[in-house]
Amino acid sequence: MQWPSLDTEMSRGRWHRSGPSRARSRSPVMEPFTTFFLNANENKFDHPERSFSGIGRSWRNCQRDTADVKELIPEFYYLPEMFVNSNEYELGVRDDGVPVCDVELPVWSKKPEDFVRINRMALESEFVSCQLHQWIDLIFGYKQRGPEAVRGLNVFNFLSYEGAVTLDNLDAAQREVMESQIQACGQVPSQLLIEPHPPRSSAMHL
């Protein structure tokens, strides 16, 4: 049986921006994420160069690698403990000789509590609220699929899309393989809108 191939030139990468692997990789030093991560990775932490070791490093990777598409998990906005390796797990040493331990924060936050507080203030700001319709267009709207998705660099592995595979038509072995891949890739939510979402009314638009 042949499965549709992934056109790498049309896709931003194998993984969807949201999924179990994204959540595990963002907070591997805090339970229950630690157990989830180790269970999914043969009881090993990730390679130090791939580990989530710094906000700045992660931001730079997202800017230069079009396959690195990670949506911030909710814990970024309320859980400062996720940035601290309080259990002192040995996470290895990066190529620059720096051991991976606590997540390195931006210079404008002196401690994890500052980062979470300022991050949440930004998320709830008027500016972000005024851009929210663009996020809706990508995740739930007209830029989720088709030519607009291609133009918006918003294309993922075909298994991420609802209805891409009819699992009931597969035998047990094929279904197990497909379900494992779907769980690993993450899933695109149901498309709710086929026209651009209107921007929020705001004094910033006056």
Side-chain angles (χ1 to χ4, degrees):
M1 184 173 186
Q2 290 187 332
W3 301 103
S5 60
L6 173 62
D7 186 340
T8 55
E9 293 184 1
M10 301 278 283
S11 170
R12 293 205 70 190
R14 180 182 179 190
W15 312 110
H16 189 249
R17 63 175 63 83
S18 297
S21 63
R22 298 302 196 196
R24 291 193 297 261
S25 66
R26 283 304 196 187
S27 187
V29 297
M30 182 176 178
E31 292 292 359
F33 299 105
T34 304
T35 297
F36 294 155
F37 187 94
L38 294 176
N39 287 344
N41 293 276
E42 299 179 344
N43 210 36
K44 297 177 182 178
F45 286 108
D46 204 354
H47 188 282
E49 287 299 313
R50 288 194 301 265
S51 296
F52 176 47
S53 59
I55 302 296
R57 286 170 59 86
S58 184
W59 172 256
R60 289 190 294 272
N61 288 341
C62 291
Q63 296 302 300
R64 62 173 178 250
D65 183 358
T66 56
D68 190 352
V69 283
K70 299 184 179 74
E71 192 165 85
L72 301 187
I73 59 177
E75 284 76 9
F76 267 73
Y77 303 98
Y78 74 87
L79 193 66
E81 292 82 2
M82 69 171 283
F83 302 104
V84 181
N85 183 13
S86 58
N87 292 310
E88 300 183 351
Y89 292 117
E90 295 185 6
L91 305 175
V93 179
R94 299 196 311 242
D95 292 343
D96 58 8
V98 177
V100 177
C101 189
D102 297 343
V103 175
E104 297 173 1
L105 301 173
V107 295
W108 43 262
S109 57
K110 296 181 180 180
K111 55 186 179 179
E113 289 79 5
D114 290 339
F115 177 77
V116 168
R117 176 178 55 80
I118 297 172
N119 216 27
R120 185 162 179 169
M121 287 174 61
L123 178 67
E124 297 174 346
S125 69
E126 187 73 5
F127 176 79
V128 171
S129 294
C130 290
Q131 312 304 317
L132 193 58
H133 63 286
Q134 299 184 52
W135 177 82
I136 294 172
D137 289 339
L138 287 171
I139 306 301
F140 300 103
Y142 80 110
K143 290 185 178 181
Q144 187 195 93
R145 303 185 183 211
E148 291 296 335
V150 175
R151 280 192 281 270
L153 299 177
N154 195 38
V155 182
F156 299 93
N157 186 301
F158 77 97
L159 288 174
S160 298
Y161 293 90
E162 183 180 39
V165 176
T166 304
L167 296 176
D168 291 340
N169 293 343
L170 308 179
D171 62 38
Q174 292 173 334
R175 179 167 184 148
E176 183 178 359
V177 170
M178 287 297 102
E179 288 180 339
S180 296
Q181 291 191 31
I182 290 170
Q183 184 179 31
C185 290
Q187 288 187 278
V188 176
S190 298
Q191 187 176 27
L192 304 179
L193 305 167
I194 58 174
E195 296 180 353
H197 192 284
R200 176 175 173 267
S201 298
S202 168
M204 294 186 69
H205 292 136
L206 299 179

